[in-house]
């Protein structure tokens, strides 16, 4: 199973932007993203509490 389910290449003036569509059924990637989201959420909560 691939980590990505598709892609799109868009041209913006003289540059190109590669958009990768993540396969949300990928266990490896999902768990890593879940940890990042939890950490960022906790960091945001701590920041708001300090205000």
């Amino acid at each position: 199973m691939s980590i990505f389910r598709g892609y799109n290449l868009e041209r913006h003036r003289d540059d190109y932007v590669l958009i990768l569509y993540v396969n949300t059924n990928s266990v490896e990637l999902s768990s890593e993203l879940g940890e990042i989201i939890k950490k960022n959420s906790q960091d945001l909560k701590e920041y708001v509490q300090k205000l």
Side-chain angles (χ1 to χ4, degrees):
M1 179 180 288
S2 177
I3 293 176
F4 303 106
R5 62 180 172 88
Y7 68 93
N8 193 17
L9 186 61
E10 296 180 359
R11 186 172 184 175
H12 293 272
R13 297 187 184 155
D14 295 331
D15 298 324
Y16 287 91
V17 175
L18 176 63
I19 301 170
L20 299 172
Y21 297 97
V22 177
N23 182 355
T24 56
N25 294 326
S26 173
V27 175
E28 294 173 17
L29 188 60
S30 297
S31 62
E32 290 175 13
L33 286 176
E35 290 301 316
I36 291 169
I37 290 170
K38 275 202 276 187
K39 181 182 180 335
N40 287 344
S41 176
Q42 184 62 31
D43 290 347
L44 178 59
K45 287 178 186 175
E46 290 174 3
Y47 177 76
V48 169
Q49 287 174 351
K50 289 178 184 177
L51 291 177

